[in-house]
Amino acid sequence: MAACSVAVLLALEAWRAFGGSTSMIRPEDALPGRSAPMEVSEQHYVLKNPMRGPWPTGMQKFVFANGCFWGSEKGIWRLPYGIFSTAVGYAAGFTPNPSYEEVVTSRSGHAEAVQVIFDPLKIDLVDVLRWFWEAHDPTQHMGQGNDVGTQYRSGLYYFDEDQKELFLASRQAYQEALRAAGVASDA
């Protein structure tokens, strides 16, 4: 059996063992993790650009969570011209440098997340943000479709006050649209 298949089976066994919890773990109960970050390829396999900064002058960063990071990353690649690089990983958790197997237990506190490096002269953050809201159902609690667990929760992670204000305004606009459509939510 291939190593990848073994890792996936172990992750599934771990998920089943811990039930894909929809309750956030307390920081003091999180898994211990490790000090060394995961190794990352130098070049993006699909986009052929660097996987890590420093980024070319003018590039901006957007990090979000909206379910399974593999599907979310693939969706970003379909956006119009302007996406420079993407990377999947984990955000907003407690376990330092968690593995996939740890995250799927819901015992690290992380959400599956995607980092997008984009050129704002070619694609506006508003367009990437619109894609975020339309690409998932933020009214589902701790999950997306059949994917259930704290790692599948929605999240927007800002890097400056302008992003924070834009994210909050977009959340409010989306919330109002959901209410107008008769969907009760705290998106």
Side-chain angles (χ1 to χ4, degrees), residues 62-110:
F62 174 61
V63 175
F64 69 93
N66 68 348
C68 173
F69 53 23
W70 298 118
S72 297
E73 182 186 32
K74 187 175 180 180
I76 286 290
W77 298 339
R78 294 182 180 130
L79 289 176
Y81 189 69
I83 303 301
F84 181 78
S85 189
T86 59
V88 299
Y90 309 107
F94 311 115
T95 298
N97 302 303
S99 67
Y100 178 78
E101 292 79 11
E102 290 169 328
V103 172
V104 299
T105 67
S106 297
R107 296 180 57 216
S108 76
H110 288 83

